[in-house]
Amino acid sequence: MVDSKSQTADLGIVQLDLDRPRRCGYPEVVFGEGKSAETLLKVIQRLTAEGHEAFVTRVHPDAAAQLAGGLAGLRHNEIARTVRVRPNVQATAGINPAARELVGKVAIVTAGTTDLPVAEEARETLDWMGVATDLIVDVGVAGPHRLPAQLHRIQGSDAVIVVAGMEAALTSVVAGYVDCPVIGVPTSVGYGANLGGVAAVLSMLNSCAANVVVVNIDAGFKGGYVAGMIARRQARNPKHEIRNES
Amino acid sequence: MVDSKSQTADLGIVQLDLDRPRRCGYPEVVFGEGKSAETLLKVIQRLTAEGHEAFVTRVHPDAAAQLAGGLAGLRHNEIARTVRVRPNVQATAGINPAARELVGKVAIVTAGTTDLPVAEEARETLDWMGVATDLIVDVGVAGPHRLPAQLHRIQGSDAVIVVAGMEAALTSVVAGYVDCPVIGVPTSVGYGANLGGVAAVLSMLNSCAANVVVVNIDAGFKGGYVAGMIARRQARNPKHEIRNES
Amino acid sequence: MVDSKSQTADLGIVQLDLDRPRRCGYPEVVFGEGKSAETLLKVIQRLTAEGHEAFVTRVHPDAAAQLAGGLAGLRHNEIARTVRVRPNVQATAGINPAARELVGKVAIVTAGTTDLPVAEEARETLDWMGVATDLIVDVGVAGPHRLPAQLHRIQGSDAVIVVAGMEAALTSVVAGYVDCPVIGVPTSVGYGANLGGVAAVLSMLNSCAANVVVVNIDAGFKGGYVAGMIARRQARNPKHEIRNES
Amino acid sequence: MVDSKSQTADLGIVQLDLDRPRRCGYPEVVFGEGKSAETLLKVIQRLTAEGHEAFVTRVHPDAAAQLAGGLAGLRHNEIARTVRVRPNVQATAGINPAARELVGKVAIVTAGTTDLPVAEEARETLDWMGVATDLIVDVGVAGPHRLPAQLHRIQGSDAVIVVAGMEAALTSVVAGYVDCPVIGVPTSVGYGANLGGVAAVLSMLNSCAANVVVVNIDAGFKGGYVAGMIARRQARNPKHEIRNES
Amino acid sequence: MVDSKSQTADLGIVQLDLDRPRRCGYPEVVFGEGKSAETLLKVIQRLTAEGHEAFVTRVHPDAAAQLAGGLAGLRHNEIARTVRVRPNVQATAGINPAARELVGKVAIVTAGTTDLPVAEEARETLDWMGVATDLIVDVGVAGPHRLPAQLHRIQGSDAVIVVAGMEAALTSVVAGYVDCPVIGVPTSVGYGANLGGVAAVLSMLNSCAANVVVVNIDAGFKGGYVAGMIARRQARNPKHEIRNES
Amino acid sequence: MVDSKSQTADLGIVQLDLDRPRRCGYPEVVFGEGKSAETLLKVIQRLTAEGHEAFVTRVHPDAAAQLAGGLAGLRHNEIARTVRVRPNVQATAGINPAARELVGKVAIVTAGTTDLPVAEEARETLDWMGVATDLIVDVGVAGPHRLPAQLHRIQGSDAVIVVAGMEAALTSVVAGYVDCPVIGVPTSVGYGANLGGVAAVLSMLNSCAANVVVVNIDAGFKGGYVAGMIARRQARNPKHEIRNES
Amino acid sequence: MVDSKSQTADLGIVQLDLDRPRRCGYPEVVFGEGKSAETLLKVIQRLTAEGHEAFVTRVHPDAAAQLAGGLAGLRHNEIARTVRVRPNVQATAGINPAARELVGKVAIVTAGTTDLPVAEEARETLDWMGVATDLIVDVGVAGPHRLPAQLHRIQGSDAVIVVAGMEAALTSVVAGYVDCPVIGVPTSVGYGANLGGVAAVLSMLNSCAANVVVVNIDAGFKGGYVAGMIARRQARNPKHEIRNES
Amino acid sequence: MVDSKSQTADLGIVQLDLDRPRRCGYPEVVFGEGKSAETLLKVIQRLTAEGHEAFVTRVHPDAAAQLAGGLAGLRHNEIARTVRVRPNVQATAGINPAARELVGKVAIVTAGTTDLPVAEEARETLDWMGVATDLIVDVGVAGPHRLPAQLHRIQGSDAVIVVAGMEAALTSVVAGYVDCPVIGVPTSVGYGANLGGVAAVLSMLNSCAANVVVVNIDAGFKGGYVAGMIARRQARNPKHEIRNES
């Protein structure tokens, strides 16, 4: 049942926040880790009944398979570990990922190949938010000519996401080339003294570049979400340009 | 002398980046910690000669006093530990902090009174960037009615900066009320198990809200800088609004 | 055999503390982790023979299944991972969970759905102690209207238990609304920089609210036990006594 | 000026929570660290004007001396680093520490002599709350006969506060003897691998006793405050109410 | 082959130290972790050929089973994870564990039941060294009367080994009762903030008792070895007594 | 006054353990850090009145100077930061450090010159205990021929104390040459990644040698005390020898 | 396809750096962890097509087996977890590991037997680089005569690699005997307070010897690579050049 | 006096290693921290008497001033905190820093201006070793065009030292451009989450470039020493020998 006053749907062990679109601009995204397929199903059905495209992150492959059996139009990105389900009402056809026009632009850059799953989670998030992305993989600084060759795809973005493990040096390097926020997503890629990604977190927090912000380790969703918020805000104005007062 | 090719001013132990306005939208900001007044003077003079308003952070009071003696139009914010010096050319009159029109809007919120110096550094940074700010002090969650009373000043911002030490719970709470990025600036305020601010860093990195990003401990400048980048980008379009597709 | 002087039952590799009800008000609770079903059986039988309801925490499902085969009246809470076995003497019929009257009131609040197992362990502990509970799940601060809607169930408690992982911001927020102790039970829910729950521990230890105390990560039992101690003491009946005093 | 709706007194950089007595049972306690004497004076005057006894913790000796010059009836506990100032209205004469009757009982136990300042802060807090205390100093486990000799002063308390640095073993030992909550206050007493008190925090969090809860390092105030909450609730008078309710 | 000069047996990837009995009083003990059964077999055969009783710690059950098939007189302690093999020459009959007379006395005390495997490793080590032991299990401080009841078995030892996880408070308590070294063996027993045994290490290093020394987490062998060294040295003199000069 | 039952002298904020000589073989040693000269004076006078030589560690130079003014026969070791005061009764003349015969032998070895203060604290402790010492300074492994040149002074000791900071490699090297316990005293000597001595602690705890035990960082007293306990026990028997059964 | 300008081969999720031999002297080495056999195959084929011997580290056994099925001349070192594949062009016959002449000399020394896999990775790397190696296993300091017996094999090297876990004392000891760089490769060998190799890292970083540098935990490849760089530079032939320059 | 057998000069609390030039190629360098001017004087005089140029690091300014008063030809680098004193024999005139010919080439690169003191210590060390240096200051990645402009000074070096604090991203970037070892010297420059330089250590240890090795935080001497060892070995003169061989 729905508590009309608080805009919360009481689904037993889940209190679904129905008021979030009004406050935050997007419906609640479901953190899939530790939730059973049954619980996820209940939440997804409610979200889609409200006219939202449901978005679930960190879904276990088994849960995804169970869900896929019972939900038409489910989109499972195995690399990103995400599930999306279209709203079940006609009026929301514009949400159709295939049909809608994406706005803004976010570049997602990874240092290595193994950072890809986290980058994919960010990409999927932005796609769900209706923001255009450009994914550039494996341009870490050990091969220093790889990044310059791709700078044209990165500069001019509304925000840049850098997904990097190990020492995450790419983050500061990218940040030196752009006039927009760089969202560092540290990954647990590496071994030994990477301490499960803590080394990359510290590296990004201590960036010598002023425009770097950081989210949790392997938090592709968060990185994508914040980038999307920035991109959507400035999407409407085609002439948004920074005045360089100097 | 200037290296015209690299756009770097070689000032001895400082290689001033003259190309930064083109790449990043703002001139280089000087990290004052560990630099002598002599070194700072040289850098400031070069920046102002290029037509920039020089901005120095983490200036020791003694160095600031020395600089104030030799530089006209110097603005020293003692709480923020910042120094600003106007450009020395006529054409840049529009930069005059008193004259220019500030654009955008960033709310800066602190959990406690002792977080103020870090918030002031953020505010000064945004002012230097030409972005309007609203500073709301001491609305931590222990007094839960204080934040709601100020929400009208926070909602509708282009970005929100939350400055908080101890357990930094305010960050997630604020984030739940807004549809823009929340930039968490953890402070070293607290004692014992705050571990010099590490507790606040971890709290912010693990925020249950999706729109929280984090910068270094006590990094008011970084928090302000990224918020400013976001705010300036969407300043031009008066009608920028988020379409809530749900 | 029992050492009448020391009130210890020597069960081989377990020295069961038979004097605990006198000193602490409750019989010894058994930490099930790392103990074989054989060892657990021996301890349970001795406790029930003494007229106590045996309570075992952190029981492996296999051990619980083995025990269930041999012990009548065993209650296994799979989510909480606890086992309870009624005393095997007639005089203790009042202990029957279904029959006895619960006293006091403890609210158990969780930030998210995945914090439930820890909350269940706390709830089961309080039930064993004879204290009434009210379990409120998934009211974390990202959906800030969810908590106010439940405040009437929380205020007026003898103690409140907040079960939260990630940044555990809910703890301080709840604490700001009540005039009783808030016992923070940090959980290992989260990933990356949550460091297995250490982030939540630090958050709770650094709470800006004065009435927050902390127990170990995932320590639902401890949280429940201390809350129960507080609640029983102020139960209406001025002569509230612990049943099963040996 | 006072915001009547939010019950907050806007004192510039301090937003004083005037509603706290209603919600939490006691007026706001002021964290003195990092606040100037001017700021403290303003807060104290407002609190006493509301009829509360003002209580400030972690006051620098210089600030205390400055305050003592301007405030009649100020009580400065140098060891505890606290300041208390009586309300400035006649009706609150009963608050007079010398005159009022203290209720409940909290035992404060320290492991060593150097833990005394933290214990004094707890004691002062409880006195301010109107709770009776018994302070037992230097009974750490290295001299194991010292604690048993004092057990009669500890058992029967409403709550026990154990103040201990180094390995804090005393906490678990005391907890094994009582049927009430034991609030561990870890101190930074020790050196080397005590890591500024973190060793004591970990020791207390991992206590083998079920009735131990923990607060921040050197947090004598918090330890006292929670103990006081517990003690006041079960004070003999069934209608025990907090005086000074604004 | 043996290098007669260096007293090293070159066994391929093992350089067996044949000179150790002369320097250190005992033959080399083999660290079994990460070594194949083939490697272990080679080392054991060489040690027994030299007339030593071979002693291997941290043996995987599979490796132990493989070894048991090929070596007569092998003694596998499954709980301790140790293997011992008698020397294969007649002249060493006195070494026979069954026949030889044990000297000295070391008390091994555990806080809980789950600390047993580590205690067993210590006991097996001492038995191999020819030192008498007394193993006292599950006398942690939560049941404070359990230790005093066993003090007569502990006092008068040449050294005491305390095996404890969680907060390891038992170590300091035992140390306060004896006039010999107490060797703390921290265990990884516990969860959450025990950080895999680090909490117990820190607790023991910071003991308020002067006679506590510490070895690695779960290092039953090391604890036993050092205790054995102490016990054997004073074994010969039946009248060794400490003169208390006070 | 003395509590004859508990053998505790109640000196206000100090509860002096008068029973310690009986239990532990030596009177209580006073931890001087954080204690005023007044408090120390009171404790010293009581100890000497009982016929003990008082021993205080970690005394601030100012406190030592104050004490020296009022106590005849005070011995202040400035490097070790210790103070010793002879008993004030005739019968204890044998305790006179100059007159009494020292027994046993403990070698104290330092890796570098700057480890000396910690080594001196250990030496002073052993001298107070009546144990002979041999202090060997600056034989760290970077100059590998320095240790072998001194081995004749180390081998044959009852115990060896290795005082070392940085990576503390000397500990394991010394341990490989002796048949007695090696007590590692990690020091805070070093910088950067030595983490205030934690690197040396970890190094010693992980020693590949079986006969290494560890005490707290800079804990010269503890190292000396345990070594002294070992040495005194085997002092009486001139023929104590280890039987090497191999 | 190849981007001739940037010298990068775009292989989908891998951007292969074809310019590396020119810049760094060796072709790119492939980090095998987290890469599928398909991805590895694509990279290997491209490298060998360019005339390089492909070198892959940290290959999962399953991936290695899959690769071995499809690639002639593959060399899989199971202990080192490396795969090498010869170039597929005739002109590079000299690269044949069996045929080519190795230059320089690097000694690889391990403290224990279980450090072998990491040492093997280093040895394989050096062999691939065309540098001669001498592998000396199990000469840790607990058996102090083992190292001197092998010093003739170590002294005179161009660089020495010390592979050690636990407290890694061997590193400083070796460094004291040689006049070349010592590259410390800390391993995760050990348990408990070794913290997964962090103890060895700290030990090596704090070495009292001036000629010790450190790489990541278990980073045999890195240790070998840097040693190889040093050795090749000073190989006798003044014109020593890296073969396989693309 | 000199022990001719061990080649150690016994200077009381210093055991000077006179054999080091033979073993390691250079005389012992003195770690000045924590040593008195008197001790330093004694060591310097002995070194210069042996014909070596004495080199002392981390000298306190006061000690340096005292030494300068008594030693002719002393060279004090205040920024580097080093002292050098020429040998006092005629035959060593060639050591004169002004006169001798430097060999090899090491580039020292700093990320920022405040890293200079550490870089100066490295430069001074190399100069003492007789190796040519090129110091390039303030070319961190935030101004990405600064490094390429200086690459011609870096490439072709025998070794490169990168001195960097904060996130130390410059290290990996430089490493991608050179075919020689890169020695990372992490500095404590930065604040907050730089954890006193630990962030930079972790960043360097986790470098994605294969040719990066790391030394301790702020260890300019070590970085310089290892670079010097590499450079001297491959100096053009095939008979490059270290002067001052004792």
Side-chain angles (χ1 to χ4, degrees), chain H:
Chain H
M1 86 225 76
V2 180
D3 172 352
S4 61
K5 273 182 297 207
S6 70
Q7 294 297 313
T8 305
D10 181 351
L11 306 177
I13 60 171
V14 175
Q15 300 292 314
L16 191 62
D17 180 359
L18 299 178
D19 187 43
R20 195 160 302 178
R22 186 188 63 78
R23 288 194 328 274
C24 303
Y26 289 92
E28 187 170 347
V29 173
V30 186
F31 182 64
E33 205 158 285
K35 294 208 179 75
S36 67
E38 290 68 28
T39 298
L40 292 177
L41 183 62
K42 221 188 297 185
V43 177
I44 290 170
Q45 285 174 332
R46 184 54 184 267
L47 282 165
T48 55
E50 294 281 323
H52 303 305
E53 184 183 17
F55 185 35
V56 191
T57 64
R58 298 191 163 239
V59 188
H60 193 276
D62 295 348
Q66 275 185 266
L67 290 173
L71 287 165
L74 177 142
R75 167 177 171 159
H76 178 212
N77 183 327
E78 292 180 30
I79 296 173
R81 292 189 297 160
T82 55
V83 156
R84 285 161 63 182
V85 185
R86 294 194 199 172
N88 58 0
V89 291
Q90 283 75 349
T92 60
I95 286 296
N96 182 338
R100 71 179 167 192
E101 189 194 5
L102 299 172
V103 299
K105 179 186 162 195
V106 171
I108 306 170
V109 187
T110 84
T113 299
T114 23
D115 297 315
L116 189 62
V118 178
E120 273 291 310
E121 192 187 43
R123 204 187 54 66
E124 194 76 26
T125 303
L126 284 155
D127 194 62
W128 171 78
M129 293 174 90
V131 172
T133 56
D134 193 357
L135 176 57
I136 300 153
V137 177
D138 196 25
V139 293
V141 301
H145 54 294
R146 296 183 299 192
L147 178 65
Q150 310 290 348
L151 271 181
H152 62 284
R153 294 169 65 187
I154 296 170
Q155 287 171 324
S157 298
D158 295 317
V160 177
I161 297 169
V162 176
V163 182
M166 298 178 177
E167 93 286 37
L170 184 64
T171 323
S172 296
V173 174
V174 166
Y177 283 111
V178 298
D179 63 351
C180 66
V182 170
I183 299 156
V185 184
T187 71
S188 50
V189 167
Y191 58 93
N194 81 332
L195 304 177
V198 168
V201 168
L202 292 178
S203 176
M204 290 175 174
L205 284 173
N206 286 287
S207 176
C208 57
N211 50 338
V212 173
V213 290
V214 192
V215 294
N216 199 357
I217 298 164
D218 293 333
F221 161 63
K222 273 196 176 181
Y225 191 82
V226 172
M229 275 193 156
I230 297 170
R232 292 231 33 130
R233 298 201 133 235
Q234 48 218 35
R236 288 288 137 55
N237 179 0
K239 281 169 276 164
H240 61 87
E241 275 159 47
I242 306 303
R243 272 159 299 194
N244 290 345
E245 297 265 2
S246 58

Side-chain angles (χ1 to χ4, degrees), chain F residues 194-209:
Chain F
N194 81 329
L195 304 177
V198 168
V201 169
L202 292 177
S203 176
M204 290 174 174
L205 284 173
N206 287 286
S207 176
C208 58

Side-chain angles (χ1 to χ4, degrees), chain D residues 120-134:
Chain D
E120 273 292 312
E121 194 187 41
R123 203 186 54 66
E124 193 75 25
T125 302
L126 284 155
D127 194 62
W128 171 80
M129 294 174 88
V131 173
T133 56
D134 192 357

Side-chain angles (χ1 to χ4, degrees), chain G residues 125-163:
Chain G
T125 302
L126 284 155
D127 194 62
W128 171 78
M129 294 174 90
V131 173
T133 55
D134 193 358
L135 176 57
I136 300 153
V137 177
D138 196 25
V139 293
V141 300
H145 54 293
R146 297 184 298 193
L147 177 64
Q150 309 289 348
L151 271 182
H152 62 283
R153 295 169 64 186
I154 297 170
Q155 287 171 324
S157 299
D158 294 318
V160 177
I161 296 169
V162 176
V163 182

Side-chain angles (χ1 to χ4, degrees), chain A residues 21 23-25 52 95 158 176 178-179 205-207 209 214 216 222 232-234 237 240 243-246, chain B residues 21 23-25 52 95 158 176 179 205-207 209 214 216 222 232-234 237 240 243-246:
Chain A
R23 289 194 328 274
C24 304
H52 302 304
I95 287 293
D158 296 318
V178 298
D179 63 351
L205 284 173
N206 287 285
S207 176
V214 192
N216 198 358
K222 274 196 176 182
R232 292 224 39 122
R233 298 203 133 234
Q234 48 218 35
N237 183 15
H240 61 86
R243 189 185 41 180
N244 290 349
E245 283 134 328
S246 58
Chain B
R23 290 195 326 275
C24 304
H52 302 305
I95 286 296
D158 296 317
D179 64 350
L205 284 172
N206 286 288
S207 176
V214 192
N216 199 357
K222 273 196 176 183
R232 292 227 38 125
R233 297 202 133 234
Q234 48 219 32
N237 184 17
H240 60 88
R243 191 184 40 183
N244 289 349
E245 283 135 331
S246 60

